[in-house]
Amino acid sequence: MIKPALLALAISLPLTAVAGDTTLARGSHYDFLTRMPTGLGPGISIDHLQSRDDNSAGTAKASGIGLMFGLPIPTLLRVDVGAKAMYLQSAGHASAAMVGGRLTVDLPASSEAFVQGFYAPASAASGSIKSVSDSMIGVRWSPLKLVCIEAGYRVFEVKREDHSRDRSLADGAYAGVSVAF
Protein backbone atom coordinates (compact mmCIF):
# COMPACT_ATOMS: atom_id res chain seq x y z
CA MET A 1 0.00 0.00 0.00
CA ILE A 2 2.87 2.38 0.82
CA LYS A 3 4.74 1.74 -2.44
CA PRO A 4 1.84 2.78 -4.77
CA ALA A 5 1.28 5.92 -2.67
CA LEU A 6 4.97 6.85 -2.84
CA LEU A 7 5.01 6.19 -6.58
CA ALA A 8 1.95 8.42 -7.10
CA LEU A 9 3.60 11.15 -5.02
CA ALA A 10 6.85 10.89 -6.98
CA ILE A 11 4.98 11.13 -10.29
CA SER A 12 2.92 14.15 -9.17
CA LEU A 13 5.82 16.18 -7.70
CA PRO A 14 7.04 17.49 -11.08
CA LEU A 15 3.52 18.85 -11.71
CA THR A 16 3.77 21.12 -8.68
CA ALA A 17 7.31 22.27 -9.55
CA VAL A 18 6.39 23.66 -12.98
CA ALA A 19 6.78 27.43 -13.28
CA GLY A 20 3.61 29.47 -13.23
CA ASP A 21 2.08 32.85 -12.62
CA THR A 22 -0.37 33.68 -9.85
CA THR A 23 -2.69 36.62 -10.41
CA LEU A 24 -4.76 38.47 -7.81
CA ALA A 25 -7.19 40.83 -9.53
CA ARG A 26 -10.26 42.96 -8.91
CA GLY A 27 -12.99 43.88 -11.36
CA SER A 28 -15.91 46.24 -10.97
CA HIS A 29 -18.15 43.51 -9.44
CA TYR A 30 -15.82 40.56 -8.91
CA ASP A 31 -12.46 39.40 -7.52
CA PHE A 32 -10.35 36.46 -8.60
CA LEU A 33 -7.19 34.51 -7.85
CA THR A 34 -5.75 32.42 -10.68
CA ARG A 35 -2.63 30.31 -11.01
CA MET A 36 -1.69 29.20 -14.52
CA PRO A 37 1.40 27.15 -15.39
CA THR A 38 3.93 28.48 -17.88
CA GLY A 39 6.42 26.60 -19.98
CA LEU A 40 6.34 23.22 -21.67
CA GLY A 41 4.72 20.09 -20.33
CA PRO A 42 2.12 19.54 -17.62
CA GLY A 43 1.21 21.95 -14.85
CA ILE A 44 -1.51 22.53 -12.29
CA SER A 45 -3.95 25.42 -12.64
CA ILE A 46 -6.00 26.86 -9.78
CA ASP A 47 -8.90 29.30 -10.14
CA HIS A 48 -11.18 31.06 -7.64
CA LEU A 49 -13.70 33.71 -8.63
CA GLN A 50 -16.15 35.55 -6.40
CA SER A 51 -18.87 37.93 -7.47
CA ARG A 52 -19.47 40.97 -5.26
CA ASP A 53 -23.03 41.64 -6.48
CA ASP A 54 -25.32 42.40 -3.59
CA ASN A 55 -28.54 40.92 -4.91
CA SER A 56 -31.18 38.69 -3.39
CA ALA A 57 -29.51 35.57 -4.84
CA GLY A 58 -26.43 36.06 -2.64
CA THR A 59 -22.77 35.95 -3.52
CA ALA A 60 -21.81 33.68 -6.41
CA LYS A 61 -18.52 31.76 -6.36
CA ALA A 62 -16.57 29.39 -8.58
CA SER A 63 -13.48 27.44 -7.52
CA GLY A 64 -11.52 24.79 -9.32
CA ILE A 65 -8.32 22.96 -10.04
CA GLY A 66 -7.08 21.68 -13.37
CA LEU A 67 -4.28 20.25 -15.39
CA MET A 68 -2.78 22.24 -18.25
CA PHE A 69 -0.24 21.12 -20.82
CA GLY A 70 2.14 23.56 -22.51
CA LEU A 71 2.73 22.79 -26.18
CA PRO A 72 6.01 23.46 -28.00
CA ILE A 73 5.44 26.48 -30.26
CA PRO A 74 7.81 29.12 -31.73
CA THR A 75 9.65 31.46 -29.38
CA LEU A 76 7.20 34.39 -29.16
CA LEU A 77 4.09 32.25 -28.68
CA ARG A 78 2.87 29.95 -25.89
CA VAL A 79 -0.13 27.61 -26.11
CA ASP A 80 -1.55 25.77 -23.12
CA VAL A 81 -4.48 23.33 -23.36
CA GLY A 82 -6.18 21.46 -20.57
CA ALA A 83 -9.17 20.91 -18.36
CA LYS A 84 -10.35 21.99 -14.93
CA ALA A 85 -12.97 20.77 -12.49
CA MET A 86 -15.03 23.66 -11.13
CA TYR A 87 -17.30 23.83 -8.08
CA LEU A 88 -20.02 26.43 -8.63
CA GLN A 89 -22.14 28.23 -6.07
CA SER A 90 -24.47 30.28 -8.21
CA ALA A 91 -28.23 30.05 -7.66
CA GLY A 92 -27.57 26.58 -6.24
CA HIS A 93 -24.58 24.26 -5.97
CA ALA A 94 -23.15 22.42 -8.97
CA SER A 95 -19.95 21.23 -10.59
CA ALA A 96 -18.59 21.35 -14.12
CA ALA A 97 -15.70 19.77 -16.03
CA MET A 98 -14.40 22.52 -18.29
CA VAL A 99 -11.99 22.17 -21.22
CA GLY A 100 -10.10 24.99 -22.88
CA GLY A 101 -6.80 26.71 -23.28
CA ARG A 102 -4.69 29.83 -23.29
CA LEU A 103 -2.71 31.56 -26.03
CA THR A 104 0.03 34.00 -24.98
CA VAL A 105 2.01 36.26 -27.33
CA ASP A 106 5.21 37.94 -26.15
CA LEU A 107 5.31 41.67 -26.95
CA PRO A 108 8.16 44.20 -26.77
CA ALA A 109 9.03 46.11 -23.60
CA SER A 110 8.63 43.15 -21.19
CA SER A 111 4.94 42.72 -21.94
CA GLU A 112 2.62 40.03 -23.28
CA ALA A 113 -0.96 39.65 -24.46
CA PHE A 114 -3.13 36.62 -23.79
CA VAL A 115 -6.53 35.15 -24.48
CA GLN A 116 -8.01 32.29 -22.47
CA GLY A 117 -11.23 30.32 -22.70
CA PHE A 118 -12.85 27.34 -20.97
CA TYR A 119 -16.25 25.75 -21.61
CA ALA A 120 -18.45 23.01 -20.16
CA PRO A 121 -21.68 21.86 -21.89
CA ALA A 122 -24.66 20.41 -20.01
CA SER A 123 -23.25 16.89 -20.42
CA ALA A 124 -20.13 17.88 -18.43
CA ALA A 125 -22.02 19.73 -15.67
CA SER A 126 -24.26 18.69 -12.81
CA GLY A 127 -27.79 19.72 -11.94
CA SER A 128 -29.78 22.05 -14.16
CA ILE A 129 -26.74 23.70 -15.78
CA LYS A 130 -26.92 24.10 -19.56
CA SER A 131 -23.42 25.51 -19.93
CA VAL A 132 -20.55 27.20 -18.12
CA SER A 133 -18.14 29.49 -19.95
CA ASP A 134 -15.07 31.39 -18.77
CA SER A 135 -13.33 33.80 -21.15
CA MET A 136 -10.52 36.24 -20.46
CA ILE A 137 -8.38 38.57 -22.55
CA GLY A 138 -5.64 40.80 -21.22
CA VAL A 139 -2.17 42.29 -21.28
CA ARG A 140 0.69 42.03 -18.81
CA TRP A 141 3.63 44.31 -18.26
CA SER A 142 6.58 43.17 -16.16
CA PRO A 143 8.44 46.06 -14.48
CA LEU A 144 10.47 43.49 -12.50
CA LYS A 145 11.57 39.99 -13.49
CA LEU A 146 8.99 38.14 -11.37
CA VAL A 147 6.24 40.77 -10.93
CA CYS A 148 3.65 41.78 -13.54
CA ILE A 149 0.87 44.31 -13.71
CA GLU A 150 -2.14 42.87 -15.52
CA ALA A 151 -5.28 44.40 -17.01
CA GLY A 152 -7.99 42.77 -19.05
CA TYR A 153 -11.60 41.74 -19.45
CA ARG A 154 -13.22 38.60 -18.02
CA VAL A 155 -16.61 36.97 -18.57
CA PHE A 156 -17.71 33.96 -16.48
CA GLU A 157 -21.28 32.80 -17.11
CA VAL A 158 -23.39 29.99 -15.70
CA LYS A 159 -26.47 29.25 -17.81
CA ARG A 160 -29.22 27.04 -16.41
CA GLU A 161 -32.31 25.38 -17.86
CA ASP A 162 -34.40 27.91 -15.92
CA HIS A 163 -33.13 31.18 -17.45
CA SER A 164 -34.18 33.16 -14.36
CA ARG A 165 -31.31 31.37 -12.53
CA ASP A 166 -28.63 32.32 -15.12
CA ARG A 167 -25.74 34.16 -13.50
CA SER A 168 -22.79 36.13 -14.73
CA LEU A 169 -20.13 35.89 -12.03
CA ALA A 170 -17.79 38.21 -13.93
CA ASP A 171 -18.45 40.54 -16.83
CA GLY A 172 -16.13 43.49 -17.05
CA ALA A 173 -12.68 44.94 -16.95
CA TYR A 174 -10.20 44.06 -14.21
CA ALA A 175 -6.76 45.06 -12.98
CA GLY A 176 -4.37 43.06 -10.88
CA VAL A 177 -0.89 42.01 -9.90
CA SER A 178 0.78 38.81 -11.01
CA VAL A 179 3.76 37.04 -9.46
CA ALA A 180 5.73 34.46 -11.45
CA PHE A 181 7.82 31.73 -9.89
Side-chain angles (χ1 to χ4, degrees), residues 3-39:
K3 287 182 183 180
L6 289 175
L7 180 61
L9 179 62
I11 291 171
S12 66
L13 279 178
L15 295 177
T16 60
V18 171
D21 57 63
T22 303
T23 303
L24 179 62
R26 185 174 189 98
S28 57
H29 292 79
Y30 65 96
D31 303 313
F32 70 88
L33 173 71
T34 299
R35 189 232 186 250
M36 290 294 285
T38 57

Side-chain angles (χ1 to χ4, degrees), residues 109-146:
S110 300
S111 58
E112 63 185 24
F114 66 90
V115 61
Q116 171 180 312
F118 285 88
Y119 180 78
S123 60
S126 67
S128 63
I129 291 182
K130 284 177 58 179
S131 68
V132 181
S133 62
D134 181 12
S135 307
M136 190 165 33
I137 186 168
V139 293
R140 273 197 193 108
W141 174 62
S142 182
L144 302 170
K145 182 89 172 145
L146 300 176

